[in-house]
């Protein structure tokens, strides 16, 4: 981070851009190559688990369609 701050103070700014691009490409590609798939799988598992809990355990009324369940009342004159 010190190198980036030092390069950011450069008046031309060219070295700061070069350093930022170099750091980003090195770190992000290595991070995604190492942790990308496990993080994706963990995120899908977490999301699936939370939705399974919400659907089965919270008692939310889901407003299912009343078609075929609601009968009209008799007409009163």
């Amino acid at each position: 981070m010190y190198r980036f701050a030092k390069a950011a103070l450069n008046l031309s700014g060219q070295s700061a851009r070069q350093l930022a691009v170099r750091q980003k490409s090195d770190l992000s590609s290595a991070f995604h190559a190492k942790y990308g798939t496990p993080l994706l799988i963990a995120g899908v598992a977490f999301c699936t688990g939370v939705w399974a809990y919400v659907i089965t355990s919270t008692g939310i009324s889901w407003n299912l369609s009343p078609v075929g369940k609601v009968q009209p009342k008799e007409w009163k004159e």
Side-chain angles (χ1 to χ4, degrees), residues 42-58 60 62:
V44 168
F46 177 77
C47 185
T48 303
V50 167
W51 275 108
Y53 172 77
V54 167
I55 290 171
T56 59
S57 300
T58 58
I60 294 175
W62 292 98

Side-chain angles (χ1 to χ4, degrees), residues 61-67 69-70:
S61 176
W62 292 98
N63 283 336
L64 299 176
S65 175
V67 174
K69 297 177 184 175
V70 177

